[in-house]
Amino acid sequence: MSNIDQSRRNFLKTGGLLALGSTLPISLVELAFAESSQNFTFAYISDAHIQHIKGNRFVRNWDMGLRRAVAEANLLTPKPDFVMFGGDLAQLGSKEELDHGAEIMSALKHPVKYVMGEHDYYLDLGAYWEKLFGPQYYSFEHKGVHFVVLNSIRTYDDWTHKRWPTAEQRMLEMAGLDNPNGSPFMVGDEQRKWLKEDLAKVAKTTPIVVFSHSPLQKIYKGWNFWTEDAEQIQALLKPFKKVSVIYGHVHQIQYNQIGNISFNSVMATAWPWPYPQSYAQAEQYLPKLTVPMNRADPFFERDATGWQFINVANGNVDVNFTLYNNSDRTVRFDTVKKQPRDQAYQDEKARINPQRHY
């Protein structure tokens, strides 16, 4: 970790002024290499859920969350090479919501790339999104890293095209967190074929970073913290030495390790979701994950905000959250146990109240 420690200190030193007034999860991701001159960073904003009321009125809280995230991203030091938006710019996918969200995002002073969320998709199946932001899935190279962006929130054709009388009804059904009328997310045949062809052109030693909206793993199906064809996507990524998956959607801190793939979530600018075990309507069918997760209190708005650093030099994901109203959190890859580990609170005896609460 020594090759990125200095960069971390420089960022935290200059970022301290932001921390005094910040309540939002801006993630700064550093891709670190043996030669520090090759290092670069990108920022991550996700899950704004801009919601139209009528006329020129929008839900103020969600507007302000995104506006503040954009303002803070513009002040980040070191300056990120680009900003990633992780999906769910809109709440119900309307032209008004997407236009309004795009206008707020246009204040960013850095190049921006986008991941699509289900709230952006299910009204018109992404048609207007594509006009604003481009294709629903794509890949790009940046300073020796191969980045892949997937639309991971598609579902079965019958549910999408035949079940609902109107597009508006379809959108409303998919927008609910625990709606039994929803349908599991998936990447789908079309994108898996494209991904296989895309990765065939990439050397197995090239670091791979995948952006999706839903987790490319199966966490909790009742809330669509789930991707139906996750194992098939993981199989396509298995041959590569260094793979990281970063996702939004869950509005909470999550981390996991499956084989060679490290998984990390980022927080939302709109609101936190509870964890399934803490929610009365959620039956206890949460599958046992590869890594027992110790997560922050989702009802304490400042508990899980911070910056995220990723070290791709050793193929693993290290996450550092600077928490403004709580002790800082570091989730670092344990090279002995071969999995991410919360450096302070992984053990039950070491947990403070917010970590013990859920």
Side-chain angles (χ1 to χ4, degrees):
M1 292 301 299
S2 59
N3 59 315
I4 62 171
D5 282 347
Q6 186 61 45
S7 295
R8 284 181 176 173
R9 285 196 295 269
N10 289 343
F11 174 72
L12 293 175
K13 180 179 178 181
T14 55
L17 292 176
L18 297 180
L20 292 176
S22 176
T23 62
L24 292 169
I26 305 296
S27 295
L28 185 71
V29 182
E30 179 171 8
L31 302 183
F33 297 86
E35 293 294 330
S36 60
S37 61
Q38 297 177 309
N39 292 3
F40 67 92
T41 62
F42 60 91
Y44 211 109
I45 301 171
S46 193
D47 291 86
H49 292 272
I50 298 300
Q51 188 166 2
H52 185 228
I53 300 173
K54 65 178 180 179
N56 63 353
R57 294 177 60 209
F58 294 82
V59 174
R60 182 177 181 275
N61 283 359
W62 313 154
D63 272 22
M64 295 306 294
L66 182 58
R67 289 185 191 280
R68 190 162 187 173
V70 167
E72 291 190 355
N74 284 337
L75 294 174
L76 287 175
T77 301
K79 293 182 179 179
D81 283 22
F82 59 90
V83 176
M84 202 75 204
F85 185 83
D88 284 353
L89 181 61
Q91 171 63 11
L92 294 175
S94 68
K95 181 178 183 297
E96 291 83 0
E97 291 174 353
L98 290 171
D99 280 342
H100 190 58
E103 180 182 7
I104 296 172
M105 290 289 291
S106 71
L108 281 164
K109 297 177 182 178
H110 315 291
V112 186
K113 298 181 183 297
Y114 289 86
V115 179
M116 172 176 281
E118 79 275 16
H119 290 264
D120 309 312
Y121 179 72
Y122 277 98
L123 182 64
D124 63 359
L125 305 183
Y128 192 64
W129 174 278
E130 290 183 354
K131 291 181 180 179
L132 290 176
F133 306 121
Q136 298 181 20
Y137 57 92
Y138 56 97
S139 65
F140 62 96
E141 309 288 330
H142 188 75
K143 296 183 178 179
V145 177
H146 186 71
F147 290 91
V148 176
V149 178
L150 295 175
N151 177 356
S152 64
I153 49 74
R154 294 182 176 181
T155 194
Y156 296 102
D157 286 345
D158 180 73
W159 191 97
T160 302
H161 299 289
K162 299 178 181 180
R163 185 165 302 184
W164 309 109
T166 65
E168 290 77 11
Q169 183 67 28
R170 177 179 61 201
M171 179 70 258
L172 287 169
E173 297 292 350
M174 192 60 93
L177 174 65
D178 56 353
N179 185 356
N181 292 328
S183 186
F185 293 147
M186 64 183 64
V187 172
D189 294 340
E190 171 193 326
Q191 284 184 88
R192 289 201 310 273
K193 179 182 177 182
W194 168 85
L195 180 61
K196 182 178 181 180
E197 294 171 353
D198 179 75
L199 293 176
K201 307 169 189 174
V202 181
K204 299 300 185 287
T205 55
T206 299
I208 306 291
V209 177
V210 181
F211 300 120
S212 60
H213 185 65
S214 65
L216 297 180
Q217 54 182 321
K218 293 178 175 178
I219 298 174
Y220 184 65
K221 194 171 187 177
W223 292 358
N224 254 340
F225 290 6
W226 185 275
T227 302
E228 193 86 327
D229 49 0
E231 293 91 347
Q232 292 166 275
I233 301 300
Q234 292 167 20
L236 293 174
L237 297 170
K238 187 175 181 179
F240 293 87
K241 185 178 179 181
K242 308 172 182 180
V243 183
S244 301
V245 173
I246 304 174
Y247 58 95
H249 182 61
V250 297
H251 297 217
Q252 59 187 236
I253 292 177
Q254 295 180 351
Y255 52 92
N256 199 17
Q257 184 76 26
I258 300 177
N260 63 317
I261 307 171
S262 296
F263 296 84
N264 277 274
S265 66
V266 295
M267 293 292 287
T269 64
W271 65 79
W273 280 130
Y275 302 122
Q277 301 99 315
S278 68
Y279 190 57
Q281 295 183 30
E283 295 186 53
Q284 299 302 300
Y285 297 127
L286 187 71
K288 183 177 180 180
L289 297 170
T290 306
V291 179
M293 289 191 233
N294 166 42
R295 299 173 292 190
D297 180 351
F299 296 109
F300 179 21
E301 65 176 351
R302 299 190 181 197
D303 195 38
T305 60
W307 293 277
Q308 179 173 265
F309 297 86
I310 293 186
N311 179 356
V312 182
N314 57 19
N316 303 316
V317 172
D318 296 333
V319 184
N320 182 286
F321 293 97
T322 301
L323 305 179
Y324 309 132
N325 277 25
N326 208 326
S327 301
D328 289 355
R329 297 280 295 281
T330 299
V331 177
R332 183 171 296 155
F333 189 84
D334 187 321
T335 56
V336 176
K337 294 191 175 183
K338 305 296 184 184
Q339 63 185 39
R341 184 175 179 84
D342 188 307
Q343 296 300 289
Y345 304 120
Q346 191 77 37
D347 295 329
E348 288 281 354
K349 295 179 181 178
R351 298 187 182 184
I352 59 177
N353 285 332
Q355 282 77 39
R356 193 178 296 118
H357 190 57
Y358 291 99

